[in-house]
Amino acid sequence: MPGARAAITAVFFAFALPIGLWAGAIPALLRQSGSDGRQLGIALTLHTAAYIGAMAAGGQLARRIAPRRLVLAALGLVALAFPLLYAAGSPLMLTLALMGTGASGGLLDLAMNTEGTALERRLGRPILLSMHAAASLAFALGAFGGSLVATQAGPLWLVLPVWAVFAPVAWWLARLPPAPEPAPLAVAARPRRVERGRDVGLIGLLLGLCIGAEIAAQMWSASFLERQARELAAFAGAGAAFFAGCQALTRLVGDRLRDAFGDRRVITGSLLIGVAGYALVAGVPGFAAGVFGFALVGFGTACVVPCCFALLARDPERASAALGTASLVAGLIRLPTPLYLGFVAAAWGEEVAFAGIAAGLALGALLAQLVRTRD
């Protein structure tokens, strides 16, 4: 069992590394492909649609294929998709490659979280946040390294760290003994479950607003920081790196925060910290202020998605339906977010786009008060 936990945690790390490398290399890849902000917004919207579609399809596949086998298959697809993204030499190729990484990444996201949840049930204690912390750490390392490698050597060289991590992780996972049948969920010491079906929709809105804020920090911070100080272009990935690094640190203590304050209070406080972060990015010019603002956004978004998942999964018999419904609602916000960011940033500036994200998180903090839970 400890070996299985370490191996699945390594999968989370591998999943996020190429995304972080891409996020840090976005300015270089835009120049390489001849794309602008609007085209990036369209491409990322299609990426998100492919991602959501792959997660929905993966849910059906997981009923017929063991999650661990699905993880292995998805790892292979991701390892093939990202080199095409790093090599993209035109707007069309960038768009097609992002759709490919979205489809493969969505499948891996679904499969690894399914396997992680099953392992959590077998262990009988919360471990999923620690796995998400590993993903945040990988994204942070990738974002910082991606801008350095892409500006100094070229984006295609990013393939090497991806394959160097994916190969041993896949080998490790393939050597694990077969997983036993999952036991009933017995994770939470203080169960808090959604009271009514209406709350599933509210939680879906919270998920969408938070994921939209994460997309903005991951995919737009490097371009924003490069414009703040072009002489620091090699370090433009610092915003995404600090965002993800602060996410990782917060997720390491996230389960203790949930136990001390409850999921809804953690969600509310987290979203307000995210509002402060984006307000700083939008309102205070400068490279250092931007990096600090994105770090605050990392602190503020770290626990929201896991807490929302925890609220939805308190009733094991209806967890799948609740997760599916909430994911669909979240997709209504998540899908147009890149398009919004691309067009608003091009028309009025990234500061205005980030101010809109701050307003969305503030709305989320209000909506969280309407979610009814019981201890």
Side-chain angles (χ1 to χ4, degrees):
M1 195 75 72
R5 176 179 178 179
I8 300 303
T9 302
V11 171
F12 275 74
F13 185 94
F15 163 79
L17 179 65
I19 305 174
L21 290 168
W22 142 251
I26 283 176
L29 274 167
L30 289 180
R31 290 190 291 270
Q32 176 179 284
S33 63
S35 303
D36 58 21
R38 287 190 179 91
Q39 290 164 331
L40 178 63
I42 294 171
L44 284 174
T45 300
L46 294 173
H47 162 91
T48 304
Y51 199 103
I52 295 170
M55 288 193 74
Q60 299 301 315
L61 288 173
R63 297 180 180 180
R64 300 173 176 84
I65 303 173
R68 194 172 294 172
R69 291 184 179 179
L70 200 58
V71 170
L72 279 169
L75 278 171
L77 292 173
V78 171
L80 293 174
F82 270 93
L84 298 177
L85 176 60
Y86 301 147
S90 69
L92 176 60
M93 289 306 301
L94 182 72
T95 300
L96 293 175
L98 277 171
M99 292 175 67
T101 58
S104 58
L107 181 62
L108 181 55
D109 192 353
L110 183 281
M112 71 184 190
N113 275 287
T114 301
E115 181 68 12
T117 302
L119 182 60
E120 187 177 68
R121 293 181 184 182
R122 292 196 294 272
L123 290 173
R125 64 180 186 275
I127 61 170
L128 204 56
L129 266 170
S130 66
M131 294 180 177
H132 281 271
S136 296
L137 175 61
F139 186 96
L141 294 173
F144 193 74
S147 59
L148 281 172
V149 173
T151 54
Q152 301 302 315
L156 191 55
W157 285 93
L158 300 174
V159 171
L160 295 181
V162 173
W163 287 349
V165 170
F166 271 57
V169 168
W171 177 83
W172 187 3
L173 190 66
R175 288 177 59 86
L176 289 179
E181 289 297 318
L185 181 64
V187 171
R190 299 173 59 201
R192 308 173 182 89
R193 71 175 185 179
V194 176
E195 287 285 341
R196 298 176 186 274
R198 183 198 72 165
D199 294 334
V200 174
L202 286 172
I203 292 173
L205 291 174
L206 296 178
L207 283 170
L209 291 168
C210 181
I211 293 172
E214 291 178 329
I215 290 171
Q218 292 168 347
M219 302 304 171
W220 260 264
S221 61
S223 297
F224 174 77
L225 290 176
E226 187 182 72
R227 275 189 273 276
Q228 297 297 304
R230 294 197 178 275
E231 68 277 11
L232 298 176
F235 304 100
F242 274 85
F243 158 78
C246 292
Q247 268 200 339
L249 290 174
T250 307
R251 284 172 171 174
L252 289 174
V253 298
D255 287 313
R256 278 176 275 178
L257 292 174
R258 289 174 54 205
D259 190 60
F261 300 106
D263 289 314
R264 188 174 63 183
R265 289 190 184 95
V266 171
I267 289 171
T268 303
S270 296
L271 290 173
L272 291 176
I273 294 172
V275 171
Y278 271 117
L280 180 62
V281 172
V284 181
F287 190 93
V291 170
F292 184 65
F294 288 121
L296 282 178
V297 173
F299 283 123
T301 57
C303 294
V304 175
V305 171
C307 283
C308 287
F309 284 168
L311 284 172
L312 292 166
R314 291 306 172 189
D315 186 349
E317 295 181 358
R318 293 186 290 180
S320 296
L323 284 166
T325 302
S327 296
L328 180 61
V329 175
L332 298 177
I333 299 174
R334 179 179 178 178
L335 185 61
T337 294
L339 203 60
Y340 155 79
L341 287 165
F343 278 82
V344 172
W348 297 291
E350 287 158 329
E351 292 82 358
V352 176
F354 290 142
I357 297 294
L361 291 178
L363 174 62
L366 294 175
L367 292 176
Q369 308 314 301
L370 302 178
V371 177
R372 289 162 292 195
T373 62
R374 69 182 183 192
D375 293 338

